[in-house]
Amino acid sequence: EKALFGKGLLKGKKIIVSAGGTQEAIDPVRYISNRSSGRMGYAIARAAAMEDADVTLVSCTTALPVPSGVKIEYVRDARELCRAMNSHFDDCDAAIMAAAVSDYRPKVQATQKIKKESHDVLNIELTQNPDILYGLGQKKKGQFLVGFAAETNDVIEHGKEKLKRKNLDMLVANDVAMPGAGFNVPTNIASLLYKDGTMEQYPKMTKDELGHIIVEKISEGLKQQ
Ligand code: CTP
Ligand code: CA
């Protein structure tokens, strides 16, 4: 793999990548999460390390092995992920938010296990999490900022809107309603949208392959910045 891909494209560059789905605690033993496997973010981290970048992978809980040459930091919920990404952001060259961040978390976390005896119907009130990517977009100073959009309909429209609203340099839009794309599968069908309004559509490919393409586009973007 190294011989095939490693061209030193990101030598001397500091890259931070988030991956996986956040887990928002309900009580000490339960959480709310999503179907993200973490594969896409891990593939990007691996591809960036193969291009000689200094890579920090901020990972939610996953079943994946740590890619070689990558520094890993584990987080559980959106607020921890937010702190970790912000602590590395100021001196990085590129940041990629591939994590599936829970939009909501339980408003209060029970300190003891909730017992079924006390509830026939259990209502859990949810409150919104911070939009981590939006916050990074607000404070970026030359960093190449990449976001994802998982959509079931009007993929390009929604993608363009997110790219603009979050002040991104590139957005990876996925049609998660298509077979072989999105959550918990090894492949993806992606469109790359750029802030100058251009766009590239790709056929179905493995997340590892897409990771290499994304890394190549980041290196091109950094040259122009
Ligand atoms: N994201 C984030 N913080 C959040 C929610 C999302 O940083 N609280 C990031 C994701 O990591 C992704 C991008 O924003 O890179 C888009 O996530 P997505 O869920 O598609 O968009 P949202 O802005 O949350 O809008 P919605 O889910 O309502 O479509
Ligand atoms: Ca969301």
Side-chain angles (χ1 to χ4, degrees), residues 42-122:
Y42 273 60
I44 294 168
R46 186 184 308 112
M50 287 167 76
E51 294 299 342
D52 297 338
D54 170 358
V55 185
T56 299
L57 175 59
V58 179
S59 177
C60 302
T61 309
T62 71
L64 301 172
V66 181
S68 70
V70 166
K71 286 177 258 178
I72 191 128
E73 249 179 69
Y74 289 106
V75 295
R76 282 220 271 243
D77 61 27
R79 287 180 296 176
E80 278 178 36
L81 177 56
C82 189
R83 274 195 294 277
M85 290 303 282
N86 277 282
S87 79
H88 295 293
F89 186 68
D90 289 345
D91 65 335
C92 80
D93 297 288
I96 302 102
M97 275 298 295
V101 185
S102 177
D103 292 327
Y104 298 92
R105 67 171 181 276
K107 195 168 177 183
V108 293
Q109 295 178 11
T111 53
Q112 297 185 320
K113 187 182 173 196
I114 298 169
K115 301 305 283 180
K116 66 184 173 195
E117 206 157 68
S118 17
H119 308 273
D120 275 342
V121 173
L122 178 63

Side-chain angles (χ1 to χ4, degrees), residues 1 5 47 50 207-217:
E1 238 185 334
F5 294 106
M50 287 167 76
K207 288 179 177 174
D208 278 325
E209 288 167 328
L210 184 58
H212 285 287
I213 290 174
I214 290 169
V215 159
E216 220 171 277
K217 300 300 174 185

Side-chain angles (χ1 to χ4, degrees), residues 18 97-103 129-134 146-151 162 165-166:
S18 69
M97 275 298 295
V101 185
S102 177
D103 292 327
N129 270 325
D131 191 317
I132 303 166
L133 187 57
Y134 179 86
V146 182
F148 277 73
E151 308 288 350
K162 279 176 189 167
R165 178 162 49 88
K166 303 198 186 196

